[in-house]
């Protein structure tokens, strides 16, 4: 089975622009989470979606938004990019629901550089 | 949110057993303890998960004392390829999934 896939793998944007990152979860996984990882730090939780509804939100500004589609894939949108948004953006999927302790499976991320 | 504390870095030599201990004094009754491994420019990879006592799989063992306020990840006979950052995570989840709070992790360096 394919793992979690993210696209694009790398992206360069200019301050003020908008970006959309995409994630396809493992087949059968209904929960998708997004994390931001700045160099040298652990991943920071941004959003979690389950069955197309937002179930959790981390301490990120409203410039960050996300959604989950009927096929459980997900998009993360970031508006009005700042230099500080430069990071590795990770998507993780899990079974979710009654399998709430099922481990997270991460993709290899999208490296976003804001200039 | 259950907070975890683990050493920032550790060094070891090939073939040795490595034990990384994580403290989680505020662990909740329903929380599980999960460890992840991360290589540069890759997403974290699940290693092992446990609730109490000892769990073993093909790559590691996880020891959890009765009070569950700490846990120890044991990597037998490490190799150079085990050089990575290791994260200890506890909770935070609800009926929809897990929203982990990652700390800085432990940077393990395996030397030849």
């Amino acid at each position: 089975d394919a793992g979690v896939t993210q696209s694009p793998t790398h992206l360069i944007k200019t301050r003020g622009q908008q970006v959309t990152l995409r994630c396809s979860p493992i087949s059968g996984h209904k929960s998708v989470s997004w994390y931001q990882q700045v160099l040298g730090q652990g991943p920071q939780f941004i959003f979690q979606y389950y069955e197309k509804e937002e179930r959790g939100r981390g301490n990120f500004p409203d410039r960050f938004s996300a959604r989950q589609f009927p096929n459980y894939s997900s998009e993360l949108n970031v508006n009005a990019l700042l230099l500080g948004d430069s990071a590795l953006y990770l998507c993780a999927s899990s079974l979710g629901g009654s399998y709430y302790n099922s481990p997270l499976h991460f993709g290899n991320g999208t490296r976003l550089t804001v200039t | 949110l259950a907070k975890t504390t683990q050493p920032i870095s550790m060094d070891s030599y090939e073939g040795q057993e490595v034990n990384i201990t994580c403290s989680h004094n505020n662990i909740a009754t329903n929380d599980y303890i999960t460890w992840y491994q991360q290589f540069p420019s890759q997403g974290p990879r699940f290693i092992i998960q446990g609730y109490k006592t000892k769990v073993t799989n093909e790559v590691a063992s996880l020891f959890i004392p009765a009070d569950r306020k700490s846990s120890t990840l044991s990597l037998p006979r490490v190799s150079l390829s085990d050089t990575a950052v290791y994260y200890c995570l506890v909770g935070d989840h609800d009926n929809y999934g897990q929203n982990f709070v990652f700390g800085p992790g432990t940077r393990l360096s395996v030397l030849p």
Side-chain angles (χ1 to χ4, degrees), chain B residues 93-110:
Chain B
H93 62 59
D94 54 25
N95 286 334
Y96 308 109
Q98 304 192 55
N99 308 322
F100 281 132
V101 177
F102 282 77
T106 297
R107 187 172 301 275
L108 173 66
S109 297
V110 179

Side-chain angles (χ1 to χ4, degrees), chain A residues 31 33 35 37 41-45 48 50 55-56 88 90 94 96-98 100-104 106-108 111, chain B residues 30-32 34 36 38 41-46 49 87 93-105 107:
Chain A
S31 177
S33 301
Y35 288 81
Q37 186 172 28
Q41 298 182 18
Q44 300 300 307
F45 171 70
Q48 189 214 355
Y50 176 73
R55 299 298 186 180
L88 180 68
L90 296 163
S94 64
S98 59
Y100 61 86
N101 280 319
S102 65
L104 294 174
F106 285 85
N108 284 329
R111 173 71 62 189
Chain B
N30 293 333
D31 285 341
Y32 278 67
T34 312
Y36 287 82
Q38 187 177 27
S41 298
Q42 293 185 23
R45 182 174 71 98
F46 170 79
Q49 183 181 68
Y87 295 99
H93 62 59
D94 54 25
N95 286 334
Y96 308 109
Q98 304 192 55
N99 308 322
F100 281 132
V101 177
F102 282 77
R107 187 172 301 275

Side-chain angles (χ1 to χ4, degrees), chain A residues 26-107:
Chain A
I26 290 173
S27 178
H29 284 192
K30 298 182 178 181
S31 177
V32 170
S33 301
W34 288 93
Y35 288 81
Q36 180 197 65
Q37 186 172 28
V38 175
L39 196 63
Q41 298 182 18
Q44 300 300 307
F45 171 70
I46 309 175
F47 285 110
Q48 189 214 355
Y49 277 77
Y50 176 73
E51 289 287 10
K52 303 178 290 295
E53 292 191 13
E54 182 184 307
R55 299 298 186 180
R57 171 185 283 257
N59 188 24
F60 280 80
D62 292 342
R63 299 184 296 109
F64 289 76
S65 64
R67 56 180 174 170
Q68 187 177 34
F69 299 99
N71 66 353
Y72 302 109
S73 67
S74 179
E75 288 182 350
L76 175 70
N77 295 284
V78 186
N79 294 322
L81 285 167
L82 304 174
L83 294 179
D85 296 330
S86 295
L88 180 68
Y89 287 85
L90 296 163
C91 173
S93 75
S94 64
L95 289 169
S98 59
Y99 303 97
Y100 61 86
N101 280 319
S102 65
L104 294 174
H105 296 262
F106 285 85

Side-chain angles (χ1 to χ4, degrees), chain B residues 22 33 45 62:
Chain B
C22 178
I33 301 156
R45 182 174 71 98
L62 179 60

